[in-house]
């Protein structure tokens, strides 16, 4: 059989299911491959990469939208972008940041920019459970929650007392539970301008948010800056990397020490201390603040080489891997030894380290295949280094073994990398994505600002194989790859959905039945317009108000057919929103311009979509 390859080297005929050949390398052919010629399988080996028109992907990828402040959903292995979820940003397609429903989530006067880094799906017993994705906003010190049944942001919490939420990971067991997040930058306490030059007054904190209530549960003061974090699979520990143990203000200051540290948080001890009232509060915040600086029984500081960055838990729950960044090594911490460290049986903190393999220049993040191998990005070398954990441990113990399995060039300067299901205890070792920060010459040039390059790598065999380049806008620091069996989305809204419950309650107060009524209610200079929409028309094609009125338009989309979303855009007023089937959406604006202003549906919904419009008549 001849193989037709396109420019990326992806076989157009590679239609066999990924499951059937996962893990097959070279000539080893599984019996599940009925009807596939041995020549084909032997030559191709590994995962099916092509998803043909009409076929569905096997995985959802949740991608951080970086400085765009959003989250994107990709399909893997096709790397097609399926949806964007506005989170910390303004979105003119859906009206996030404009609608009353989204403003309730964002808060009053919320900034409409964000710097999203770390999207992570909730867990039950170490497995992804399809409930929520959480993500941080470094730019405005916030954490958001996305509902995975409708793929909308449903809660955002501002974290008090700190600046710049960066590393974010979730409690894995028994469930999420806590959303652990690092505040990166140190600020003086109190931060009121009274002590800005006093370096000794600066601190930062490790934070835990209750993933159910989205309230901050507690905060722990630490030494140094905090960078990335991860949690174990038993609910006992979280571990964060720290750079700037020097606690300096300048670049030169932060680089002085040969070693910084990883700080381990003892979750049961912290919870006990909160219960026992051993905490303070700061300013107006009621959040319990505990002291976890050196000497505290709540934390353990483990010295590791210079300015570590990523912190990743192996899917077997045995190790925390801290990535060296300025050191060519990663430090492997055996989680079982942390019990002895906290009980005092181990007195030298570095005795919890069981391997420190030297991998190459600029190790930033590590991913796992569930078969005992780890994959570390080498930012400076522009490579992924595949290494074996057991062999690295043997080597640290003095045995002569080569733990490095392969180095693969990526293009270029990779930050995070991710394996399919590899951030849960169901790592399946099929795919690896390298989130390369620079794309340089890999795509058609589009001006000084370049796309990032998210590269798909087949890791199902012994050898890593690069199979796809995917350009991405605004830096997707991090992503997570979750099998589609974990996710159940709704195709149309349910009428009692909490997303618009407050809007429904407001209508009820006005005596409105949203599913049938088309009415305008005047309340002083406040005008509330209620209408329905059914393709291709609104329930009202004329709204009469007076100049200066504050107008709230509430629309209920009565269509029951999947994909018939409507919209409402009012010309020259900066207002627009999505109204998907069975959804109620609302927005408020001031009618400050006398005259006729057309409103129209901006989501193509019908052959007569262009005719779906009406007039706002503003009397002088
Ligand atoms: Cu860019 Cu996870 Cu914010 Cu590393 S972090 S690269
Ligand atoms: Cu309704 Cu377009």
């Amino acid at each position: 059989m001849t193989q037709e390859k396109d420019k990326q080297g992806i076989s157009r005929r590679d239609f066999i299911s990924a499951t059937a050949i996962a893990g097959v390398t070279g000539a080893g052919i599984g019996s599940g491959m009925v009807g596939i010629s041995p020549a084909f399988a032997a030559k191709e080996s590994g995962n099916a990469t092509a998803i043909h028109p009409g076929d569905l992907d096997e995985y959802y990828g949740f991608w951080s939208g970086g400085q765009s402040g959003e989250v994107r959903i990709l399909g893997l292995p096709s790397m097609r972008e399926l949806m964007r979820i506005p989170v910390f940003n303004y979105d003119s397609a859906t009206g996030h940041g404009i609608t009353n429903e989204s403003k309730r989530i964002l808060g009053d006067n919320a900034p409409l920019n964000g710097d999203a880094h770390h999207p992570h799906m909730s867990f039950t017993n170490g497995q992804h459970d399809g409930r929520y994705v959480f993500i941080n906003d470094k730019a405005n010190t916030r954490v958001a929650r996305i509902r995975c049944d409708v793929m909308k942001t449903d809660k955002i919490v501002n974290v008090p007392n700190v600046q710049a939420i960066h590393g974010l990971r979730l409690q894995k067991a028994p469930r999420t539970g806590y959303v652990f997040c690092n505040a990166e930058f140190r600020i003086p306490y109190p931060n009121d301008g009274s002590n800005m030059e006093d370096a000794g007054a600066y601190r930062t904190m490790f934070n835990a948010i209750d993933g159910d209530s989205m309230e901050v549960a507690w905060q722990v003061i630490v030494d140094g800056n905090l960078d990335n974090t991860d949690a174990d699979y038993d609910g006992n520990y979280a571990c964060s990397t720290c750079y700037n143990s020097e606690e300096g203000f300048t670049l030169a200051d932060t680089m002085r020490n040969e070693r910084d540290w990883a700080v381990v948080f003892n979750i049961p001890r912290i919870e006990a201390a909160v219960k026992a009232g051993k905490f303070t509060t700061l300013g107006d915040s009621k959040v319990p603040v505990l002291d976890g600086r050196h000497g505290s029984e709540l934390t353990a500081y483990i010295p590791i080489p210079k300015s570590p960055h990523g912190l990743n838990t192996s899917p077997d729950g045995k190790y925390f891997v801290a990535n060296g960044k300025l050191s060519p090594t990663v430090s492997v911490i055996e989680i079982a030894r942390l019990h002895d460290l906290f009980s005092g049986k181990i007195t030298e903190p570095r005795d919890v380290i069981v391997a420190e393999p030297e991998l190459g220049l600029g190790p930033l993040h590590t991913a796992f295949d569930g078969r005992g191998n780890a994959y570390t990005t080498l930012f400076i070398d522009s490579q992924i280094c595949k290494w074996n954990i057991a062999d690295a441990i043997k080597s640290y113990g003095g045995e002569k073994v080569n733990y490095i399995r392969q180095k693969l060039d990526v293009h270029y300067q990779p930050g995070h990398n991710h394996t399919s299901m590899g951030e849960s205890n169901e790592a399946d070792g099929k795919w690896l994505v390298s989130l390369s920060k620079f794309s340089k010459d890999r795509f058609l040039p589009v001006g000084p600002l370049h796309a990032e390059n998210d590269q798909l790598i087949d890791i199902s065999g012994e050898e890593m194989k690069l199979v796809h380049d995917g350009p991405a806008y605004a830096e997707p620091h991090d992503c997570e790859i979750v099998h589609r069996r974990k996710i159940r989305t709704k195709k149309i809204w349910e009428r009692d959905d909490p997303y618009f419950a407050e809007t429904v309650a407001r209508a009820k107060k006005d005596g409105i039945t949203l599913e049938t009524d088309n009415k305008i209610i005047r309340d002083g200079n406040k005008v509330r317009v209620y209408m329905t929409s059914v393709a291709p028309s609104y329930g009202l094609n004329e709204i009469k108000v007076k100049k200066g009125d504050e107008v709230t338009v509430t629309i209920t989309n009565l269509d029951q057919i999947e994909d018939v979303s409507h919209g409402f855009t009012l010309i020259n007023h900066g207002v627009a929103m999505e109204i998907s089937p069975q959804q109620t959406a609302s927005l408020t604006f001031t009618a400050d311009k006398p005259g006729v202003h057309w409103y129209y549906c901006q989501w193509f919904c019908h052959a007569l979509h262009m005719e779906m419009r009406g007039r706002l008549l503003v009397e002088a």
Side-chain angles (χ1 to χ4, degrees):
M1 187 188 281
T2 34
Q3 294 296 306
E4 294 166 19
K5 300 267 185 169
D6 65 12
K7 282 195 197 107
Q8 281 84 40
I10 295 172
S11 166
R12 290 291 180 209
R13 295 180 179 226
D14 197 354
F15 54 84
I16 36 179
S17 89
T19 323
I21 46 169
V24 174
T25 60
I29 298 160
S31 58
M33 302 174 63
V34 184
I36 306 295
S37 85
F40 176 97
K43 194 166 171 198
E44 282 308 297
S45 77
N47 289 323
T49 53
I51 300 294
H52 294 268
D55 287 351
L56 304 181
D57 280 296
E58 188 175 359
Y59 298 90
Y60 286 90
F62 293 93
W63 246 249
S64 150
Q67 314 89 312
S68 78
E70 65 191 9
V71 165
R72 298 169 194 145
I73 308 174
L74 269 65
L76 266 76
S78 75
M79 301 291 279
R80 294 177 293 195
E81 184 180 293
L82 306 176
M83 185 47 63
R84 295 184 172 198
I85 307 170
V87 185
F88 303 114
N89 57 322
Y90 167 98
D91 181 54
S92 83
T94 59
H96 186 75
I98 301 172
T99 64
N100 295 325
E101 295 72 39
S102 64
K103 282 180 167 174
R104 274 177 214 128
I105 292 158
L106 283 154
D108 290 333
N109 307 315
L112 290 174
N113 76 307
D115 184 10
H117 285 234
H118 301 112
H120 289 285
M121 179 177 280
S122 54
F123 289 92
T124 301
N125 296 326
Q127 305 188 345
H128 290 306
D129 59 18
R131 288 181 294 136
Y132 299 116
V133 166
F134 298 88
I135 189 156
N136 70 301
D137 172 17
K138 178 169 169 177
N140 297 292
T141 319
R142 297 180 285 185
V143 172
R145 185 174 78 180
I146 293 162
R147 270 174 57 188
C148 292
D149 59 342
V150 289
M151 296 300 179
K152 295 283 187 198
T153 304
D154 89 320
K155 292 256 190 218
I156 293 180
V157 57
N158 294 294
V159 183
N161 303 325
V162 293
Q163 275 185 17
I165 295 294
H166 182 232
L168 177 149
R169 289 284 186 140
L170 309 177
Q171 184 180 12
K172 299 180 172 78
R175 69 190 282 280
T176 313
Y178 291 126
V179 177
F180 297 120
C181 53
N182 287 335
E184 183 175 342
F185 300 138
R186 298 166 59 78
I187 51 169
Y189 289 88
N191 192 19
D192 57 4
S194 62
N195 52 357
M196 296 192 283
E197 297 307 327
D198 176 8
Y202 280 58
R203 284 161 219 168
T204 195
M205 300 187 203
F206 177 75
N207 311 280
I209 295 164
D210 180 324
D212 294 313
S213 68
M214 284 299 277
E215 279 167 15
V216 183
W218 40 259
Q219 302 181 293
V220 178
I221 300 170
V222 295
D223 290 313
N225 281 36
L226 289 173
D227 195 353
N228 279 291
T229 191
D230 204 350
D232 66 1
Y233 280 88
D234 302 304
N236 292 321
Y237 305 112
C239 182
S240 298
T241 49
C242 159
Y243 71 98
N244 192 20
S245 58
E246 302 85 348
E247 305 187 345
F249 294 148
T250 66
L251 178 63
D253 286 347
T254 65
M255 310 264 289
R256 237 176 19 239
N257 293 353
E258 274 315 308
R259 277 182 181 164
D260 290 302
W261 53 65
V263 49
V264 181
F265 300 89
N266 188 318
I267 308 303
R269 283 193 189 174
I270 292 169
E271 285 180 324
V274 171
K275 237 188 187 163
K278 291 186 202 154
F279 60 81
T280 51
T281 57
L282 294 172
D284 302 335
S285 157
K286 297 208 163 49
V287 177
V289 175
L290 301 98
D291 193 344
R293 288 176 289 181
H294 276 87
S296 161
E297 57 155 25
L298 308 178
T299 54
Y301 288 78
I302 300 160
I304 54 173
K306 222 175 176 126
S307 300
H309 182 61
L311 195 293
N312 305 90
T313 310
S314 61
D316 58 10
K318 286 188 185 163
Y319 308 108
F320 288 136
V321 175
N323 297 260
K325 191 166 79 181
L326 298 189
S327 157
T329 57
V330 299
S331 302
V332 180
I333 295 166
E334 188 176 10
I335 292 170
R337 297 195 184 196
L338 294 172
H339 304 310
D340 292 341
L341 183 61
F342 275 101
S343 71
K345 238 194 245 170
I346 290 179
T347 50
E348 167 49 48
R350 274 192 58 88
D351 287 351
V352 301
I353 292 171
V354 293
E356 213 152 59
E358 192 169 323
L359 304 176
L361 295 183
L364 287 189
H365 294 277
T366 296
F368 305 91
D369 63 8
R371 300 190 298 269
N373 300 306
Y375 301 77
T376 300
T377 53
L378 302 174
F379 181 81
I380 297 168
D381 284 341
S382 281
Q383 288 180 318
I384 306 280
C385 177
K386 176 180 176 180
W387 54 283
N388 182 272
I389 302 170
D391 283 353
I393 292 170
K394 280 184 200 155
S395 168
Y396 193 71
E399 265 181 70
K400 261 207 144 93
V401 282
N402 184 8
Y403 43 79
I404 291 181
R405 293 290 185 267
Q406 186 194 356
K407 288 188 178 182
L408 178 76
D409 289 342
V410 291
H411 314 85
Y412 305 87
Q413 271 75 41
H416 278 263
N417 67 359
H418 301 271
T419 48
S420 45
M421 299 296 277
E423 289 159 43
S424 75
N425 66 15
E426 297 179 288
D428 64 15
K430 292 207 293 199
W431 298 107
L432 177 78
V433 166
S434 168
L435 300 177
S436 309
K437 305 275 187 192
F438 292 71
S439 62
K440 294 181 186 171
D441 50 6
R442 300 291 280 195
F443 306 114
L444 281 176
V446 287
L449 183 62
H450 286 49
E452 317 285 313
N453 188 9
D454 300 343
Q455 296 184 292
L456 184 69
I457 296 160
D458 181 347
I459 56 164
S460 61
E462 282 301 310
E463 231 185 277
M464 295 184 275
K465 285 182 190 155
L466 177 63
V467 296
H468 184 79
D469 273 18
Y473 173 63
E475 198 175 331
H477 290 266
D478 187 14
C479 71
E480 192 160 62
I481 304 164
V482 179
H483 196 272
R484 66 185 185 197
R485 72 175 183 271
K486 298 289 181 185
I487 293 163
R488 290 278 169 275
T489 60
K490 291 179 179 157
K491 293 188 172 175
I492 62 174
W493 289 87
E494 279 166 38
R495 288 297 306 141
D496 58 357
D497 196 284
Y499 192 79
F500 43 79
E502 278 193 48
T503 306
V504 170
R506 170 75 257 184
K508 221 179 210 161
K509 266 195 206 157
D510 280 338
I512 295 288
T513 305
L514 285 167
E515 293 78 5
T516 53
D517 289 349
N518 291 288
K519 277 185 190 158
I520 299 175
I521 289 172
R522 176 169 287 280
D523 173 4
N525 70 341
K526 290 191 164 64
V527 176
R528 289 188 288 278
V529 179
Y530 294 97
M531 62 170 144
T532 57
S533 67
V534 179
S537 54
Y538 295 113
L540 295 170
N541 51 30
E542 200 178 286
I543 301 168
K544 225 181 245 174
V545 299
K546 294 193 179 70
K547 180 179 182 244
D549 283 345
E550 185 197 278
V551 183
T552 299
V553 175
T554 303
I555 302 178
T556 300
N557 181 351
L558 299 182
D559 279 302
Q560 306 234 26
I561 300 163
E562 177 182 338
D563 214 353
V564 183
S565 293
H566 298 296
F568 176 87
T569 297
L570 177 63
I571 306 280
N572 294 345
H573 282 73
V575 299
M577 65 182 176
E578 163 207 359
I579 320 133
S580 279
Q582 297 294 301
Q583 182 180 6
T584 293
S586 71
L587 50 77
T588 301
F589 62 92
T590 304
D592 50 7
K593 295 185 267 275
V596 173
H597 306 281
W598 285 92
Y599 54 88
Y600 71 97
C601 171
Q602 89 276 20
W603 286 90
F604 211 110
C605 54
H606 191 274
L608 293 172
H609 155 80
M610 298 302 290
E611 287 78 357
M612 187 165 173
R613 58 187 194 146
R615 289 184 307 155
L616 175 77
L617 309 169
V618 183
E619 295 171 345

